[in-house]
Amino acid sequence: MRKPVVCVLSEIPKVADVIRQSCSTVVSKVTSVAPYNITEKDVKLLDEAEVIVSEPHFAPHWLYGRPNLKLVHGTWAGIDSIMKLISAGGETPSFKYCKFGGVFGQPMAEYVVGQIVAHERNFRLAYHEQQSATWSSELRDFMFNESRPLNSLSIGILGFGEIAKKVAEACKAFGMKIWTLVTTVPSDENKCLYVDEYRPAEGIDELLSNCHYVCNILPSTQLTRGLLDNEKLKACSPKRSVFINVGRGDICTEDSILQALREKWIRAAILDVFSTEPLPVDSLLWKHPQVTVTPHVAAVTMPHQVAEVIAENLHNYANDRPLNYLIDWNKGY
C-alpha cells in the first residue's frame, strides 16, 4: 500500500483536519497551505506532495512544476478554470485529476423543481403583493388562467450525467415528460426509467421545440460553448420554453438570452451560472422582469461532504483501486 503525502490548498474550513482524521491509515502526512500569500515554506510543502486537494481556481499553484505530484483532487465539480489554463498554451498535465462529485444531484434537483413550481405559481407576484399588503385578484387570475400543473409539462435536459439523472427523477415524480440531449442514445435495455425521449446532439432543435422547460446541465467544453447562441433559442418558440441554466454560463451569451426574451422565443430565464461571475452590476439580466438570477448556489460544496468524498478516493488511491470522478483531460470533463 502506498502512503502519499497530501497537501491541502483550500478555502473550505476544516477539510485538512477531517482528511487527517479519516485517512490516517492510508496517508503518511497531511499538510495544509493557506491559498493566499504563499510563502517559500508553503512552496516546499506543495513540492513535497504526491496528492494535492484544492479548488480549481488555485490551479496556477500546482498545474505545472510540482515534481512529486501524481493526483489532484478538486473540491468543486467544475474544471473550467483549469482547462482555460491548459488551452492557453500549457501542456496536458501528467497527473490525474478527480473532480468533486456524488452529492450535487439532490440539491440541484431541488433547485430546478423549486424554480419550476415558483414560476408556475408566480411566487414572485405573491411576494410583492404581500409586501404591499395587497389582497388583489391578480394572483388568483394568474392561477386560474396561466398556471399549469407540472404533470402537463415537459422538460428538456441538456446533458445526462449523474446530476441530470437526479433532476430527471425529481421532475418525473411530479409527472413531467422528460426529454434529454445525449452524446449517444442508449440501447433500450440501458435507457433510464425517468426519460421519455432521448435525442442526440443533432436532435437539439426537436427537443427545444417540444419542451415547456429547457434545463442546461452540460459542462463547459469545446462542443458545448455557445451551443445555444446564433438564434438557436428560436427553436423554443412553439412552447415558449422557460430556460433554466444550472450547468455553465458559456452555453450561450447574455445577448442571446435577452434576444430570446425580446423576440418571445422563451417566456423566462432562470439563471444560476453566467459567463462572467460575479455577474457585473450593469448586466441587464439583474432587473429584467422575466429573469431570475441566483449567484451560483443551485448546489454548493459542504465541507463535510468534501472531506468524505476525498477520503474515500484517498483510500482508493492508496490501495490501487479505480478512482471516483476521474476526469479525461482530452474530453475536458
Side-chain angles (χ1 to χ4, degrees), residues 18-19 22 100 103 302-313:
V18 177
I19 292 174
S22 59
F100 177 64
V103 300
M302 298 296 185
H304 71 280
Q305 293 175 325
V306 172
E308 290 169 4
V309 169
I310 293 175
E312 181 179 353
N313 245 355

Side-chain angles (χ1 to χ4, degrees), residues 138-269:
E138 186 177 356
L139 185 58
R140 289 177 59 84
D141 290 344
F142 175 88
M143 291 301 300
F144 282 122
N145 299 312
E146 297 183 55
S147 180
R148 303 170 295 185
L150 269 62
N151 62 6
S152 70
L153 303 176
S154 54
I155 182 169
I157 300 173
L158 308 185
F160 205 59
E162 171 191 318
I163 293 172
K165 288 175 183 174
K166 277 289 189 181
V167 173
E169 180 182 3
C171 291
K172 178 56 73 176
F174 284 89
M176 298 184 76
K177 183 174 183 178
I178 312 298
W179 291 61
T180 185
L181 191 75
V182 293
T183 305
T184 304
V185 175
S187 58
D188 288 344
E189 61 268 23
N190 290 319
K191 287 183 177 178
C192 177
L193 293 174
Y194 314 124
V195 176
D196 300 289
E197 299 284 346
Y198 285 92
R199 291 295 181 275
E202 57 269 25
I204 187 171
D205 285 356
E206 185 183 3
L207 180 150
L208 296 177
S209 65
N210 276 280
C211 293
H212 300 92
Y213 283 81
V214 172
C215 180
N216 174 50
I217 315 182
L218 287 166
S220 175
T221 70
Q222 286 186 334
L223 295 176
T224 63
R225 285 190 283 274
L227 181 65
L228 297 181
D229 283 330
N230 301 314
E231 300 191 352
K232 178 60 73 175
L233 290 171
K234 189 174 183 178
C236 294
S237 298
K239 300 283 189 186
R240 283 198 67 204
S241 316
V242 176
F243 175 53
I244 302 175
N245 193 4
V246 292
R248 286 294 177 261
D250 57 10
I251 190 79
C252 61
T253 64
E254 179 175 321
D255 287 342
S256 291
I257 294 171
L258 292 170
Q259 180 188 19
L261 290 166
R262 186 171 58 250
E263 301 288 346
K264 297 186 178 355
W265 300 337
I266 62 175
R267 69 180 66 224

Side-chain angles (χ1 to χ4, degrees), residues 84-125:
K84 285 178 181 177
L85 289 173
I86 295 173
S87 63
E91 297 179 358
T92 301
S94 58
F95 58 82
K96 295 178 179 180
Y97 185 94
C98 294
K99 68 179 184 178
F100 177 64
V103 300
F104 290 133
Q106 179 69 25
M108 200 76 83
E110 291 173 2
Y111 178 93
V112 171
V113 171
Q115 291 287 1
I116 293 172
V117 172
H119 182 80
E120 293 302 325
R121 295 294 184 115
N122 206 342
F123 285 172
R124 180 179 291 187
L125 174 60

